[in-house]
Amino acid sequence: MRIQVPERQALISGIGQSASGRRLGRGGLDLTLEAALAAIEDAGIDRRDIDGMSSWPGYRADEPGFSPVQIGQVKDALGLKLNWYTAGIEATQLGGVLNACMAVASGQARHVLVFRTVTETSAAAGARPSLIGNGSQRVTGFAEHLAPFLAPSAANWIGMVATRYFHEFGATREQLAQVAINARRNAGLNPAAVYRDPLTLEQYMAARMISTPLCLYDCDVPIDGSIALIVSHADTARDLKSPPVRVEAMSGALHTKDTWDQLEDYTRYSAEACGERLWSRTDLTPADVDVAQLYDGFSFLSLLWLEALGFCGRGEAAAFVADGRRIALDGDLPLHTGGGQLSGGRLHGLIHVVEAVAQLRGQCGARQVRNDPRVAVVSNGGGPIAGAMLLVRD
């Protein structure tokens, strides 16, 4: 008997992306509206049909550019009447999409606008650099043990985990480089990507180190931009303009300790439990996946997600990507087909959802994978943060 889960009542009916780039000098609301109107047009619905709104992580006045737009601002600018809305930091970065799926499945809304907006590079322009936030806040929590050693960044934390992984499983920088090189190759075929110039192994190996073994090209790219999605109830499919993509299964598990520095096994993170739960909610298996958009806030996280989602065994991900062939557009598992966050820009995972939908619809032009994809997997997060979705074209 086919496993029945409520998220199958949801589908992604529209996708939109604003102009994206470095220091665009545009306001967050301006970018959000551009993306939202594009998604509404893509779905072919009237904006007044939108009765729900969702975002992650919610407005953050204390972190300029990180999340500069309030749901209320978007609602008023579009003239909407919402029956349901939510946003909040304590969730996986896919939280906005997962919550939207639950809202339509439970009848709280019919069409939910989901957005993620950043203006990090414009906000940073002219700002005084600081090793600890903006330099005015007292460091608390686990960061107080790291700050004295000048390790306040996720690059430092993940660099240490990558070092342990390299030691335990014999991975090399040359292998890890293929994640970034493949992403850049695909970004060269994506007009919306921020960095499109070719990246060679020699350039990667010569790049400045950020936090061993992670170099500059292992880190995602801060940008200004916005992504918007319309999540709709499945019974609206026949009324939509664009081919809808169905949600097959989703997971946002938090089974580990809610911390970056006291985990039982640093080479697993919460991704493993998230992957196990995802596959428990579907009859599909990793062998059914045609295209993968795995979180790449840092390239190393994509290795952990390959293992967590069952595409290879524990400690085998570096060998899986080693020559770049298996993850290429014409490979067994095309990865980061639009350039991901490493070359496309940091939009905290929603860029992966938009790319997955476009690939399943066959709308990606020169970067379209050639195996007529019907199943895509998307993942978000590192450390204790993990979210994943299976998307299907019927």
Side-chain angles (χ1 to χ4, degrees):
M1 178 182 293
R2 178 169 164 76
I3 297 170
Q4 297 298 318
V5 293
E7 55 260 41
R8 294 209 191 106
Q9 295 300 308
L11 51 81
I12 297 177
S13 58
I15 55 176
Q17 182 172 353
S18 73
S20 300
R22 305 274 290 174
R23 299 182 179 179
L24 296 182
R26 293 172 58 184
L29 180 59
D30 180 26
L31 293 169
T32 304
L33 294 176
E34 181 181 336
L37 290 172
I40 293 168
E41 170 64 23
D42 185 55
I45 61 175
D46 190 294
R47 72 172 185 271
R48 291 167 294 188
D49 292 331
I50 295 173
D51 55 355
M53 196 178 299
S54 181
S55 186
W56 178 92
Y59 176 64
R60 304 285 291 176
D62 58 331
E63 298 181 68
F66 181 70
S67 189
V69 183
Q70 299 172 351
I71 279 179
Q73 292 176 299
V74 181
K75 177 194 78 71
D76 290 346
L78 292 175
L80 307 179
K81 294 182 179 180
L82 302 180
N83 295 327
W84 174 92
Y85 65 97
T86 187
I89 188 68
E90 290 191 285
T92 164
Q93 292 145 328
L94 273 180
V97 185
L98 304 187
N99 284 335
C101 293
M102 290 187 282
V104 301
S106 65
Q108 291 295 323
R110 297 280 291 168
H111 298 283
V112 180
L113 171 63
V114 184
F115 69 89
R116 176 73 181 110
T117 303
V118 290
T119 55
E120 289 186 290
T121 52
S122 287
R128 180 181 178 184
S130 171
L131 287 170
I132 310 297
N134 61 16
S136 62
Q137 297 176 342
R138 181 177 177 83
V139 177
T140 60
F142 84 95
E144 65 188 3
H145 302 291
L146 301 175
F149 300 96
L150 302 183
S153 165
N156 304 130
W157 319 334
I158 293 171
M160 288 188 286
V161 174
T163 296
R164 177 63 195 178
Y165 182 96
F166 277 34
H167 168 77
E168 191 166 332
F169 300 114
T172 67
R173 289 191 63 220
E174 287 83 356
Q175 292 173 320
L176 182 62
Q178 294 302 321
V179 176
I181 292 170
N182 175 73
R184 181 64 65 85
R185 182 186 305 115
N186 296 339
L189 303 173
N190 181 5
V194 176
Y195 290 147
R196 303 181 62 199
D197 293 335
L199 175 64
T200 67
L201 178 61
E202 291 73 23
Q203 288 172 317
Y204 173 94
M205 296 300 292
R208 64 185 174 92
M209 297 302 293
I210 302 300
S211 189
T212 303
L214 306 179
C215 73
L216 179 66
Y217 296 118
D218 291 308
C219 306
D220 63 8
V221 184
I223 61 169
D224 299 346
S226 182
I227 289 282
L229 311 169
I230 307 297
V231 175
S232 302
H233 195 278
D235 65 12
T236 68
R238 286 180 291 183
D239 301 324
L240 300 172
K241 173 183 174 182
S242 298
V245 170
R246 180 169 55 81
V247 178
E248 168 70 14
M250 63 188 195
S251 171
L254 177 58
H255 291 187
T256 65
K257 294 179 180 179
D258 188 17
T259 175
W260 287 80
D261 67 331
Q262 296 296 321
L263 299 177
E264 291 84 355
D265 185 343
Y266 289 102
T267 64
R268 295 178 190 264
Y269 275 171
S270 286
E272 185 172 70
C274 182
E276 290 174 355
R277 179 159 175 78
L278 182 73
W279 296 118
S280 75
R281 300 178 69 79
T282 179
D283 296 315
L284 299 178
T285 70
D288 295 309
V289 174
D290 300 308
V291 62
Q293 312 296 342
L294 306 183
Y295 193 68
D296 58 341
F298 298 93
S299 59
F300 173 73
L301 294 178
S302 295
L303 299 189
L304 296 191
W305 275 110
L306 284 168
E307 296 177 8
L309 290 168
F311 295 113
C312 55
R314 286 273 295 132
E316 296 177 357
F320 186 95
V321 304
D323 63 6
R325 295 178 184 175
R326 300 182 75 173
I327 58 174
L329 290 178
D330 59 353
D332 299 332
L333 186 70
L335 179 68
H336 304 151
T337 55
Q341 298 195 140
L342 295 176
S343 289
R346 179 197 298 158
L347 282 159
H348 292 102
L350 255 66
I351 196 170
H352 291 320
V353 181
V354 166
E355 178 68 15
V357 171
Q359 285 287 346
L360 293 180
R361 289 177 174 177
Q363 297 174 333
C364 290
R367 70 181 190 280
Q368 179 66 44
V369 300
R370 298 172 177 82
N371 60 353
D372 187 28
R374 303 188 69 87
V375 180
V377 67
V378 176
S379 72
N380 271 196
I385 305 167
M389 301 179 72
L390 279 176
L391 302 177
V392 175
R393 171 174 61 90
D394 291 324

